[in-house]
Amino acid sequence: AYNARGLLNESLHDQDKAIADYSQALQNAPKDALGYLNRGSLYQQMNQPTLALKDLNQAIQLDPQDYRAYDARGLVYDAQEKYGAALADINRAISLNGPDPVLYNHRAVVYYHAGNDALALAEPRISRRLLVFLDHGRRGGLEEELPNLDVVRE
């Protein structure tokens, strides 16, 4: 119940209430990987990487088959510019979940942040919108290459 209310509060942009709900859920069920995943993902969105990593590591320890925790942890590592760790986690998420355009987009973002435009552009199933977003206000060149890339599609 508290996890569900936390998700509702998160959707209402009340992060403090959502964190409190996730924390209560974890007090009631300290072995609930989903609670750690939810709270850790929200900490990541709140730019609190230390707390995010603590929760996401716990989520992975409790349920090492949940691809979402690896993906979320990969995004934290990306924000910390730990690109090798970010790619390892996102690749693990892909291996657990299979082909998923969201995960491919996340991996493309990490490649791009790491300065490897070629791998970002070569990522399968990456959306044009993502590439335009990545290029907005940053180094140029990606948008001009879009018409020449067969692998870029919605």
Side-chain angles (χ1 to χ4, degrees):
Y2 283 103
N3 259 325
R5 193 168 78 179
L7 290 170
L8 175 62
N9 281 318
E10 196 173 336
S11 72
L12 296 171
H13 306 288
D14 194 336
Q15 296 174 326
D16 292 333
K17 282 186 181 177
I19 291 292
D21 286 335
Y22 296 143
S23 296
Q24 184 62 52
L26 290 167
Q27 268 190 329
N28 294 345
K31 300 257 187 229
D32 179 27
L34 183 59
Y36 288 104
L37 171 62
N38 289 340
R39 191 173 69 178
S41 295
L42 182 53
Y43 280 139
Q44 184 265 331
Q45 292 172 32
M46 296 169 68
N47 198 28
Q48 296 185 28
T50 302
L51 294 172
L53 287 174
K54 181 179 176 189
D55 278 356
L56 295 170
N57 287 337
Q58 186 65 26
I60 289 168
Q61 183 178 349
L62 291 169
D63 185 0
Q65 299 304 308
D66 189 342
Y67 76 94
R68 299 170 300 177
Y70 291 98
D71 181 44
R73 190 173 71 177
L75 296 176
V76 174
Y77 287 142
D78 178 53
Q80 294 180 320
E81 299 181 1
K82 297 178 180 177
Y83 303 121
L87 287 169
D89 273 358
I90 294 171
N91 285 334
R92 178 71 175 140
I94 291 168
S95 74
L96 289 169
N97 193 51
D100 182 332
V102 172
L103 297 175
Y104 288 134
N105 283 342
H106 288 172
R107 187 166 64 185
V109 168
V110 174
Y111 284 140
Y112 187 79
H113 288 161
N116 196 332
D117 294 356
L119 286 177
L121 289 166
E123 193 63 54
R125 299 186 192 141
I126 190 169
S127 72
R128 286 181 186 269
R129 281 182 294 215
L130 174 67
L131 289 173
V132 170
F133 171 78
L134 290 174
D135 198 40
H136 181 71
R138 300 199 58 202
R139 43 186 200 277
L142 287 178
E143 204 163 352
E144 294 82 39
E145 293 186 49
L146 286 174
N148 302 320
L149 296 171
D150 294 332
V151 296
V152 179
R153 57 184 178 271
E154 294 289 275

